Amino acid sequence: MTLETTRHLKHDTPDTDRRLDGMAQGVLGTDMDRPEGPLKVSGQATYAAEAHPEGLAYGYLVVAATIGRITGSNAQDIMAMPGVLHVVEDERMIRNAAQGMAGKSPIQKQGQVWYVGQPVACVVAETFEQARHAAQAMLVTIEPDGTHVFDPESPEAEVETPEKKQLLQGDFEGAMTSAAFSIDNNYRTSSMSSAAMEPHASIAQWDEDGAVTLRGSYQLLRFNKKELADVLDLAPEKVRILSPYVGGGFGSKLGLAPEAVAASLAAKALARPVSVVMHRRQVFETVTRRSETKQRIRLACDAEGKLAAIGHENLVSQLPGEVFSEPVAQGTHFQYAAPNRLVGHHIARIRRPAAGSVRAPGEAVGVTAFEIAVDELAKKAGIDPLEFRLRNVPDKHPENGKPFSSSTMEATLREGAKRFGWTHTAPRQRREGEWWIGTGMAGCVRVNSMIEARARVVLTGQGVRVECDMTDIGTGSYAILTQVAAEMLGFAPAQVETVLGDTDLPPASGSGGSFGAASTSTAVYLACMELRERLAAKIGVKETELTLKDGHAIHDNRKTPLGEVLDDEEWRALGHLEPGKAGQDVRQATWGAVFAEVAVSDITGETRVRRMDGTFACGRILNLKTARSQCHGGMIWGIGIALTEALEHDPRDGHMVNRDLAEYHVPVNLDVPQLGVHFLEERDDWANPLQAKGIGELAICGSGSAVINAIENACGVRVRNLPATLDQVMEGLISQD
Amino acid sequence: MRAFDYLRAGDTAEAVREGSHDDTRFIAGGTNLLDLMKLEVMAPGKLVDITRLDLGGIEETEAGGLRIGALVTNSDLAADARVRKGWPVLSRALLAGASGQLRNKATTGGNLLQRTRCYYFYDRGEPCNKREPGTGCAAKDGMNRILAILGTSEHCIATHPSDMAVAMRCLGAKVEIEGTRGRREVALDAFYRSPGDTPHIETVLEAGELITAVILPAPAGGRQIYRKVRDRSSYAFALVSVAAVVSVEDGRITQAQLAFGGLGPMPWRDAEVEKALVGEVPSKALFDRAADILLAEAKGHGGNDFKIPLTRRTLAAVLTQATETDQ
């Protein structure tokens, strides 16, 4: 049997070896194509719903149209419909998707409907069409259970104010009163959906030993496995989840969702494989959305623009019983220096569908509103908003005094301004026909972290295999893990096979919170280091004296094929990363600056983004193409937050009104100009031995404010309720006439 | 989707005969009907496929106009050189609608008959008089940002979603219809019905009647503009759109044909507005007066109140552009 050794790292201290800088293969950091790309674009990558095991039956979810207690259904009539095999009406069905990293079942139904759109049953039939038709014919009787509140700002809303999430430092009110300049405004962001291209889908199949295999579309497999086991009351070893390809996540696939549970229950009952694909509407409804926010931001500064007070009080919404609440002020705690600080966090328990983590929970909406407020104060103080920000760069964490692992805020602001050609101008100065032209900018910030991850690396003379349950949600995991292994062990990427998305493989981090690349790459790095050490020991040199390149070991002016060193055996190593004090002793973050130019119609209030340019510092860049692509996505969503995206909830029952991709407006190609993305590559030794940091979320954390600030600069209209739909801008224009 | 019978009609007579049965619908591009059937907002028991009928092609008429076959796709119609030259407002309106993929599939006849995009019409959990007569209108007190301000009734405030039909109404198009009792032509002006207390009946088509063509009169000349205002740059329905054909001679407006999308249950045209413009010297005051006439009966429902000032401003901008002397 092949010897597998483990290299473990508890990441307590900065790693200053920077071993990657000493490698020779030269593939890391390049814009290498995704190895699985050809499969995806030629339809050969098998997404969750695309497997067709023998005997497959099809399930379709039934969702509730009203709130209350379930008293009965016409399931018997449904069973008599053509092709219908089974109706799942099981107490183990889940109310909504699990929160990210829950690792246990979300609230199960208990005969209760908490929100309109909650899954209450699943009809299974021989064909998809039969199941869908029967599901649409299913009537679930729901007895109303009183009146409910649907608007988080309603005076009737029950509002929680968790003590741990409030902060008061210094004399906030005093500083507000005595400051040279101050602002006090309410900002609002809308309820939003991840709207990933691939809807949630699961195919469940049980074996004779009572174990279930689920092909699903999920982001965090090792957690999802525990969640499904908990729902079904199984030992986790009895659950296997396969997610080799995931068509977009953005947080929506962090937690186990209702279709996986329905498929598992139905497959068990029927003793045959069952597929459940959610309708687009059901994805919107049953998978967690981004909470709408109301943010009262108060800022004060002295005559030179030095911030004296920062206040950020926010109201978010959530269904009763959910632990998560949008951490709006996560970036506010450290983005800017100021001695007097106030943070308030309030949660309205209302009956809109459940809220949860959506790309960059916290900063995506918190930094966006805050960076509008900063622009407003800079304007009031008569200072260039770029200069204003530069005057308030913190030199340490402003609340707890911890050092920053690296501080690139100033560098990204300066470099970004240079690349964009930033000059500060007064509003309403440029006009092209009916269009007002203006520019705006904003800082971006996002916390950086890792979570525990394991990965196996198998080395032979012919190449390398990387194995773990990491997911690739379109982000480029296959590419970067391939590159890390290729770089460390000296093979061309084509000789590296990366196998992901299977819980039978070592548990990696999964994809979420921008921690995936750093965490799982570190696990792969550790396994590779283990193999390098073993190779060095076998050869009799120090690891640092060993060069691995193109399948050869090079040392002491000798070049040996790796197969010879390995005696044609297969060597295996497991890398195991545990986050440690390095994540706690300092504040780790990624920083950026985004600049935008917009045109605003003086007639209709329509806004067109004409230019957008972002400069970001996210540690070592592992793959230039996938990194850039992540920033493009973040900036585009920034445009969406600023201009187009809003899930509308009916005021009478909270249901999502525009729950499809025709009416929930994500930006289309024509809304997005050529985007500039630039990286300030840094080596943050606190981050991990690769010096790689999260990149998936940073660009969404503030990009939208650059657009909003540019609208103000263009036409003088300040929009505080996002998105800045044309009617809001038009009304502002009318009031200026 | 309910299981349905399917018949591919061999000729128009067969289509009309089969289509006249209850619970039967014609299908061509299917870009709207299939969505509605999947949601069971519409659940016909039988579909008569008309795509093999000889209803394609664009021909010039003796009157100097065009006869556009009902099966001509939106893409083909928009790209037709004659349309682009003589009826550019139509080409522009078509290209402002939907997406490239949808325009490749959607047909001329089907476009005229597409259903409203009112959220509540698409939601079987909600009351909707258009979907289920007598159940009420959830939109009036609900989310109605995208809905109508003109020509509504207490029973329905839905808009007609088409861009193409707005340009066609502006151009004075006629609809050619084949039925069991023969062929007839109906002006687009008289094709759509006001919702009243029967919002589920949207046109004057009778059971089995099939649109076979749309007939455009001879080129109207003038400046032709289609301006569509919407929530994103593409792939969104009009909040307000204006189709305009306007001529100015010796400083006075000699021709003004105007139709509007996003405002009413049908592409909207108001003869009084046009009458007020013709013979006058273009001015901001004149355009305001035109808007006053157009919007005299306009009624917002809260979420769509903004359409009233938006229409006024968009109309003024279109008329300004159409009457500028320095182009």
Side-chain angles (χ1 to χ4, degrees):
Chain A
M1 184 167 162
T2 315
L3 174 69
E4 176 170 302
T5 55
T6 298
R7 191 176 190 88
H8 171 260
L9 170 69
K10 185 136 197 307
H11 188 47
D12 286 328
T13 54
D15 184 313
T16 52
D17 291 347
R18 300 184 183 177
R19 285 299 290 133
L20 277 170
D21 288 329
M23 297 297 143
Q25 191 65 30
V27 295
L28 199 68
T30 66
D31 59 355
M32 187 189 93
D33 288 343
R34 291 170 168 80
E36 82 290 7
L39 289 179
K40 286 181 172 172
V41 297
S42 61
Q44 296 174 80
T46 315
Y47 286 84
E50 294 176 343
H52 300 283
E54 171 114 15
L56 184 64
Y58 296 84
Y60 197 90
L61 292 177
V62 177
V63 303
T66 57
I67 294 170
R69 288 205 68 80
I70 299 172
T71 55
S73 79
N74 65 345
Q76 291 215 316
D77 300 337
I78 299 302
M79 281 300 293
M81 291 181 70
V84 173
L85 299 166
H86 181 58
V87 177
V88 181
E89 287 181 294
D90 195 298
E91 288 294 296
R92 287 172 291 179
M93 290 271 281
I94 56 177
R95 178 180 78 169
N96 47 259
Q99 298 291 344
M101 301 169 73
K104 59 179 187 181
S105 171
I107 289 176
Q108 290 173 303
K109 237 176 41 196
Q110 299 162 330
Q112 187 80 21
V113 177
W114 294 81
Y115 64 95
V116 175
Q118 177 180 321
V120 289
C122 181
V123 179
V124 188
E126 290 290 354
T127 71
F128 173 76
E129 289 75 14
Q130 288 168 333
R132 182 174 58 184
H133 177 52
Q136 285 171 322
M138 182 143 172
L139 299 170
V140 175
T141 331
I142 297 162
E143 202 167 278
D145 60 354
T147 56
H148 299 292
V149 179
F150 305 101
D151 176 1
E153 294 191 37
S154 159
E156 272 92 56
E158 180 197 325
V159 176
E160 282 171 25
T161 301
E163 208 175 310
K164 278 186 178 164
K165 293 181 178 171
Q166 321 299 317
L167 173 97
L168 180 62
Q169 281 191 346
D171 176 14
F172 176 77
E173 301 288 348
M176 283 298 297
T177 317
S178 61
F181 302 102
S182 66
I183 58 139
D184 178 357
N185 294 320
N186 282 317
Y187 302 85
R188 287 178 181 80
T189 61
S190 294
S191 186
M192 279 178 258
S193 171
S194 293
M197 201 175 343
E198 180 200 23
H200 289 56
S202 286
I203 297 176
Q205 190 161 13
W206 295 75
D207 67 19
E208 303 79 23
D209 303 328
V212 64
T213 298
L214 188 93
R215 289 186 57 90
S217 185
Y218 285 101
Q219 295 180 230
L220 299 174
L221 299 195
R222 69 181 161 98
F223 296 95
N224 306 133
K225 172 177 164 156
K226 288 184 199 161
E227 288 153 9
L228 186 57
D230 192 26
V231 167
L232 300 172
D233 204 14
L234 288 174
E237 309 81 71
K238 294 283 189 188
V239 175
R240 181 183 186 192
I241 299 185
L242 300 169
S243 291
Y245 303 107
V246 179
F250 313 109
S252 72
K253 294 165 182 168
L254 291 173
L256 191 78
E259 96 292 339
V261 175
S264 300
L265 293 170
K268 178 84 176 173
L270 291 170
R272 59 191 274 195
V274 173
S275 155
V276 179
V277 179
M278 280 205 222
H279 188 274
R280 178 65 64 186
R281 285 181 168 178
Q282 296 171 342
V283 178
F284 273 85
E285 288 163 333
T286 71
V287 172
T288 51
R289 68 190 166 93
R290 192 198 297 284
S291 170
E292 66 295 289
T293 68
K294 177 187 174 193
Q295 305 180 40
R296 182 185 183 192
I297 301 180
R298 287 184 279 173
L299 299 173
C301 68
D302 66 17
E304 280 72 52
K306 199 93 179 136
L307 281 165
I310 288 176
H312 195 174
E313 296 154 275
N314 58 74
L315 173 72
V316 301
S317 80
Q318 183 57 290
L319 267 183
E322 293 296 311
V323 176
F324 174 89
S325 67
E326 181 79 24
V328 178
Q330 194 159 259
T332 310
H333 289 295
F334 64 90
Q335 189 182 6
Y336 290 105
N340 306 292
R341 311 175 76 89
L342 169 76
V343 171
H345 183 63
H346 310 280
I347 308 154
R349 294 288 176 184
I350 56 165
R351 298 300 188 93
R352 293 180 175 183
S357 293
V358 177
R359 199 177 199 171
E363 290 95 323
V365 286
V367 173
T368 296
F370 199 85
E371 286 293 291
I372 300 169
V374 168
D375 199 69
E376 295 208 59
L377 183 61
K379 185 183 169 165
K380 210 160 179 181
I383 300 170
D384 176 346
L386 171 70
E387 177 58 30
F388 186 93
R389 286 173 171 85
L390 291 169
R391 288 181 195 179
N392 289 289
V393 174
D395 55 7
K396 57 181 188 296
H397 193 300
E399 287 173 8
N400 60 28
K402 285 182 186 175
F404 288 108
S405 63
S406 72
S407 181
T408 49
M409 175 174 167
E410 180 175 344
T412 53
L413 285 166
R414 289 192 188 283
E415 178 68 12
K418 199 170 76 188
R419 287 182 175 276
F420 183 77
W422 172 257
T423 47
H424 176 52
T425 55
R428 291 171 78 93
Q429 298 297 307
R430 287 172 65 196
R431 184 89 184 235
E432 293 178 11
E434 73 173 65
W435 298 90
W436 293 104
I437 314 299
T439 52
M441 54 94 45
C444 297
V445 69
R446 173 69 177 162
V447 293
N448 186 63
S449 64
M450 292 197 295
I451 67 166
E452 187 174 16
R454 290 178 172 85
R456 176 182 296 121
V457 174
V458 182
L459 176 67
T460 70
Q462 286 73 49
V464 181
R465 191 165 73 250
V466 177
E467 300 176 341
C468 59
D469 79 352
M470 181 61 181
T471 48
D472 187 326
I473 60 172
T475 43
S477 306
Y478 282 106
I480 58 163
L481 300 181
T482 297
Q483 284 170 287
V484 169
E487 193 66 49
M488 292 294 292
L489 297 175
F491 276 102
Q495 287 164 281
V496 178
E497 183 193 10
T498 298
V499 184
L500 306 179
D502 179 349
T503 54
D504 277 0
L505 300 174
S509 61
S511 305
S514 292
F515 53 60
S519 307
T520 302
S521 292
T522 299
V524 171
Y525 168 91
L526 292 169
C528 292
M529 275 304 288
E530 176 68 10
L531 292 166
R532 288 180 60 89
E533 295 273 13
R534 281 167 60 186
L535 287 167
K538 174 124 196 268
I539 294 164
V541 294
K542 284 202 268 183
E543 184 275 325
T544 49
E545 289 162 2
L546 174 65
T547 298
L548 297 177
K549 190 169 190 299
D550 297 329
H552 288 77
I554 304 163
H555 57 92
D556 303 324
N557 276 332
R558 270 182 296 157
K559 186 172 174 183
T560 319
L562 209 55
E564 277 180 34
V565 184
L566 297 170
D567 297 329
D568 289 326
E569 285 177 3
E570 180 184 275
W571 287 19
R572 294 171 164 241
L574 192 75
H576 179 201
L577 163 75
E578 268 188 283
K581 288 207 281 281
Q584 297 148 17
D585 293 350
V586 292
R587 167 39 74 195
Q588 293 188 23
T590 52
W591 304 85
V594 172
F595 296 78
E597 178 180 290
V598 303
V600 181
S601 166
D602 189 52
I603 293 158
T604 62
E606 288 163 287
T607 299
R608 301 280 182 259
V609 183
R610 308 213 305 184
R611 275 203 296 152
M612 204 173 190
D613 207 85
T615 297
F616 305 102
C618 312
R620 184 194 297 271
I621 300 303
L622 302 176
N623 181 311
L624 193 56
K625 176 181 276 185
T626 58
R628 198 190 291 122
S629 180
Q630 286 298 302
C631 293
H632 284 160
M635 290 163 78
I636 292 166
W637 208 340
I639 294 173
I641 293 174
L643 298 180
T644 59
E645 288 190 49
L647 261 179
E648 305 288 357
H649 296 270
D650 191 285
R652 296 159 298 192
D653 64 4
H655 88 265
M656 290 173 177
V657 176
N658 55 338
R659 56 205 196 284
D660 59 52
L661 294 179
E663 296 298 340
Y664 178 76
H665 292 144
V666 301
V668 295
N669 281 334
L670 207 51
D671 292 312
V672 181
Q674 192 66 37
L675 301 173
V677 171
H678 315 284
F679 292 112
L680 288 185
E681 196 154 338
E682 53 159 345
R683 297 281 182 267
D684 184 342
D685 295 323
W686 289 90
N688 47 58
L690 289 80
Q691 297 84 35
K693 293 160 88 171
I695 204 165
E697 300 176 312
L698 174 63
I700 194 178
C701 305
S703 290
S705 1
V707 174
I708 297 292
N709 296 338
I711 292 174
E712 196 276 339
N713 181 253
C715 67
V717 175
R718 174 62 70 183
V719 179
R720 300 195 183 97
N721 296 330
L722 273 47
T725 48
L726 61 93
D727 48 314
Q728 283 196 72
V729 178
M730 179 188 71
E731 276 152 26
L733 290 165
I734 290 171
S735 69
Q736 286 185 346
D737 287 344
Chain B
M1 186 182 278
R2 178 181 153 200
F4 57 88
D5 292 329
Y6 171 87
L7 175 86
R8 182 182 289 157
D11 57 36
T12 305
E14 185 189 17
V16 165
R17 194 170 61 245
E18 293 295 329
S20 64
H21 298 135
D22 284 351
D23 204 23
T24 300
R25 288 269 165 183
F26 296 122
I27 184 163
T31 56
N32 190 198
L33 181 60
L34 288 179
D35 284 348
L36 290 162
M37 287 173 65
K38 287 178 191 172
L39 294 168
E40 299 193 10
V41 171
M42 292 175 73
K46 183 169 186 174
L47 289 184
V48 176
D49 183 344
I50 60 165
T51 54
R52 303 294 170 97
L53 303 187
D54 186 21
L55 298 176
I58 304 171
E59 299 154 21
E60 286 151 46
T61 66
E62 282 178 18
L66 287 182
R67 183 182 178 281
I68 303 159
L71 290 175
V72 173
T73 66
N74 290 177
S75 295
D76 287 348
L77 184 56
D80 187 273
R82 293 162 293 182
V83 174
R84 289 166 54 126
K85 185 158 182 287
W87 299 267
V89 67
L90 175 57
S91 186
R92 286 169 194 154
L94 282 159
L95 294 175
S99 65
Q101 294 93 326
L102 287 166
R103 293 194 296 269
N104 286 342
K105 225 28 211 164
T107 63
T108 302
N111 189 311
L112 291 176
L113 296 179
Q114 61 181 310
R115 312 295 305 274
T116 184
R117 261 55 175 194
C118 175
Y119 312 120
Y120 298 94
F121 175 68
Y122 280 74
D123 193 337
R124 287 168 70 237
E126 297 286 327
C128 171
N129 289 321
K130 189 184 277 297
R131 190 185 63 247
E132 279 180 79
T135 54
C137 172
K140 274 192 302 182
D141 299 319
M143 302 304 301
N144 49 47
R145 170 181 177 76
I146 61 175
L147 299 175
I149 57 170
L150 288 171
T152 57
S153 74
E154 60 177 303
H155 303 284
C156 185
I157 61 169
T159 48
H160 192 270
S162 172
D163 291 296
M164 182 197 82
V166 176
M168 285 181 171
R169 187 153 189 209
C170 172
L171 291 167
K174 285 187 290 192
V175 184
E176 184 189 282
I177 298 163
E178 187 99 13
T180 47
R181 284 173 294 180
R183 176 177 292 197
R184 62 177 177 139
E185 283 181 6
V186 177
L188 204 52
D189 285 340
F191 182 73
Y192 294 104
R193 291 171 44 130
S194 289
D197 57 4
T198 55
H200 58 293
I201 305 172
E202 295 171 351
T203 70
V204 299
L205 287 176
E206 297 191 4
E209 281 196 318
L210 175 68
I211 296 173
T212 48
V214 171
I215 296 161
L216 297 181
R223 270 189 201 148
Q224 302 200 2
I225 295 167
Y226 189 74
R227 179 154 186 171
K228 180 174 178 179
V229 184
R230 47 182 151 176
D231 275 329
R232 62 181 168 191
S233 305
S234 179
Y235 195 50
F237 293 96
L239 294 167
V240 171
S241 71
V242 182
V245 177
V246 177
S247 300
V248 180
E249 278 170 39
D250 300 331
R252 286 184 185 275
I253 297 172
T254 54
Q255 175 195 28
Q257 292 170 222
L258 296 165
F260 301 85
L263 301 187
M266 62 195 72
W268 197 257
R269 191 169 175 185
D270 186 333
E272 295 302 316
V273 175
E274 298 174 14
K275 213 186 291 173
L277 292 167
V278 172
E280 300 294 325
V281 176
S283 71
K284 176 146 194 337
L286 177 68
F287 302 157
D288 264 348
R289 202 154 69 238
D292 287 342
I293 297 167
L294 174 70
L295 297 165
E297 306 283 316
K299 183 172 183 293
H301 301 87
N304 65 354
D305 291 350
F306 73 94
K307 285 191 175 186
I308 296 173
L310 181 62
T311 303
R312 175 176 293 278
R313 294 163 76 88
T314 308
L315 174 60
V318 167
L319 289 173
T320 303
Q321 187 191 345
T323 57
E324 268 167 358
T325 48
D326 58 352
Q327 274 192 0

